[in-house]
Amino acid sequence: MNFKTLFITLALPLAIFAQGDNVAEEPKPEIITESEFSGDSARDANDAGNSEELAEADSAEAAEDTTEMTQEEADAELAADMAAADSTSADSVIQSLNLDMTTAYMPSESRRIAGPYGIRTYRMHRGVDLGLCHGEDRTIRAAFAGVVTKVRNQGRRKGYGKYVIIDHGNGLTTLYAHLAKWTVNVGDTLQAGDTLGIGGNTGRSFGAHLHFEMRYHGIYIDPATVFNFTEGTYDNVVAVIDPAILQAKEDEYQKELAKHRYYKVRRGDCLGKIARRYGISITKLKKLNGLKGNMIRPGQVLRCS
């Protein structure tokens, strides 16, 4: 057998095999993401009964989602939106507010607090995160009667994603963030319990959840002092919102934050450079952050005191 005959003999079966591959392609596997909050597999389309619509929206957002937004920028933008939502006069005397909780409504069916209100690493987490599991009802509802003042999308994978802000007309405002979609428009009047959107995983999020915030005349409230999320109810028929108590609590948080210094690692940084900057040893820097080795990565936040 000469070389030409041998080449044809070997090449013919390979050509037939390649043609067969083109005829019958195996279906591509469904993309599944792991939920940080549920511990179960959760579809990134948020399984809200609108998967095709949500997928189309995600594709459109991905095309526009080209600018970078830091968490600090997202926080500032959201705080400005919340401040603008308060319809009460800036000259009005801020008094205690008595909330009739019998007319309130739980914003989500979830009973799992995935992230409480308070200090998170180097910054304040201003709301309560309620984890949303695969297969559960992800309908998000207005906690109190009010008017929608803002619907915004900070980005598919940036900031707080899609969120809705409601002004309740008495100095109280509420925020519902990381939505898969909203179903309301600015100016809509809602009653407590009315649907405003579907919970999801938009923005800087590691699993489907609702980020829920409350503010009274610009002062943040821990929603867990008003709602009993784990029981799906409230602790008191009347929730007293005292601005003096709220401000005192805020001062405590700021005092605690001031005790510690934090540094966000930049490209080219090393432990020695950061330790010298804050006047501490590399050994202490590693101990403060539970580091066993010397490897750090850009974007990592290190406690420095």
Side-chain angles (χ1 to χ4, degrees):
M1 181 181 295
N2 59 30
F3 177 79
K4 183 176 181 181
T5 304
L6 178 62
F7 177 80
I8 295 173
T9 303
L10 293 174
L12 185 58
L14 291 175
I16 296 173
F17 180 79
Q19 290 176 357
D21 280 349
N22 292 333
V23 173
E25 293 184 355
E26 293 185 2
K28 295 181 180 180
E30 182 180 15
I31 298 175
I32 302 294
T33 58
E34 191 71 15
S35 171
E36 172 186 315
F37 300 96
S38 66
D40 298 326
S41 293
R43 285 180 173 78
D44 197 36
N46 300 310
D47 194 32
N50 302 283
S51 57
E52 291 184 3
E53 180 180 349
L54 295 178
E56 290 176 2
D58 278 350
S59 298
E61 289 166 26
E64 301 174 358
D65 198 21
T66 56
T67 59
E68 289 296 328
M69 173 181 285
T70 66
Q71 187 60 50
E72 290 76 14
E73 290 172 335
D75 289 342
E77 184 177 75
L78 180 60
D81 284 346
M82 289 286 278
D86 185 359
S87 63
T88 57
S89 171
D91 299 327
S92 60
V93 178
I94 303 177
Q95 299 177 339
S96 295
L97 174 66
N98 295 327
L99 280 175
D100 181 1
M101 297 302 294
T102 63
T103 63
Y105 207 94
M106 296 295 293
S108 168
E109 292 295 319
S110 174
R111 300 293 173 259
R112 290 172 304 284
I113 297 180
Y117 182 96
I119 297 174
R120 176 184 289 180
T121 313
Y122 66 102
R123 54 184 283 270
M124 281 293 296
H125 181 241
R126 292 296 187 179
V128 168
D129 289 344
L130 299 173
L132 303 173
C133 288
H134 170 57
E136 289 186 330
D137 182 1
R138 296 187 178 184
T139 303
I140 305 303
R141 304 179 186 277
F144 308 95
V147 177
V148 177
T149 59
K150 178 70 68 174
V151 290
R152 183 187 288 268
N153 183 8
Q154 286 188 330
R156 183 170 177 266
R157 287 290 176 260
K158 297 168 190 159
Y160 294 88
K162 296 180 180 180
Y163 62 79
V164 171
I165 296 175
I166 300 177
D167 172 30
H168 302 287
N170 50 8
L172 182 70
T173 53
T174 54
L175 163 82
Y176 313 78
H178 298 301
L179 302 176
K181 62 178 291 187
W182 57 67
T183 57
V184 293
N185 297 304
V186 172
D188 286 354
T189 299
L190 303 180
Q191 299 303 315
D194 284 353
T195 298
L196 59 86
I198 303 298
N201 193 24
T202 59
R204 188 175 284 107
S205 169
F206 298 97
H209 71 287
L210 169 68
H211 176 83
F212 177 63
E213 289 187 12
M214 298 177 64
R215 294 211 322 180
Y216 181 58
H217 288 290
I219 309 175
Y220 287 95
I221 303 169
D222 180 355
T225 63
V226 177
F227 290 97
N228 186 331
F229 292 105
T230 56
E231 298 294 332
T233 182
Y234 46 81
D235 291 325
N236 299 295
V237 172
V238 176
V240 180
I241 309 299
D242 188 330
I245 294 176
L246 294 179
Q247 189 59 59
K249 188 64 177 177
E250 176 65 20
D251 292 343
E252 289 179 14
Y253 280 123
Q254 293 304 321
K255 185 176 180 180
E256 183 63 26
L257 283 170
K259 291 180 182 179
H260 308 295
R261 292 178 296 175
Y262 294 90
Y263 179 77
K264 182 178 286 188
V265 178
R266 300 173 183 175
R267 194 175 300 279
D269 282 338
C270 65
L271 289 179
K273 178 180 176 181
I274 298 170
R276 287 193 298 272
R277 175 172 179 168
Y278 288 92
I280 60 175
S281 67
I282 294 177
T283 301
K284 183 176 181 180
L285 182 60
K286 291 170 67 174
K287 184 177 180 180
L288 286 171
N289 294 278
L291 300 175
K292 295 181 180 180
N294 295 322
M295 295 296 295
I296 53 177
R297 65 182 185 280
Q300 183 177 1
V301 177
L302 298 178
R303 178 178 169 183
C304 302
S305 66

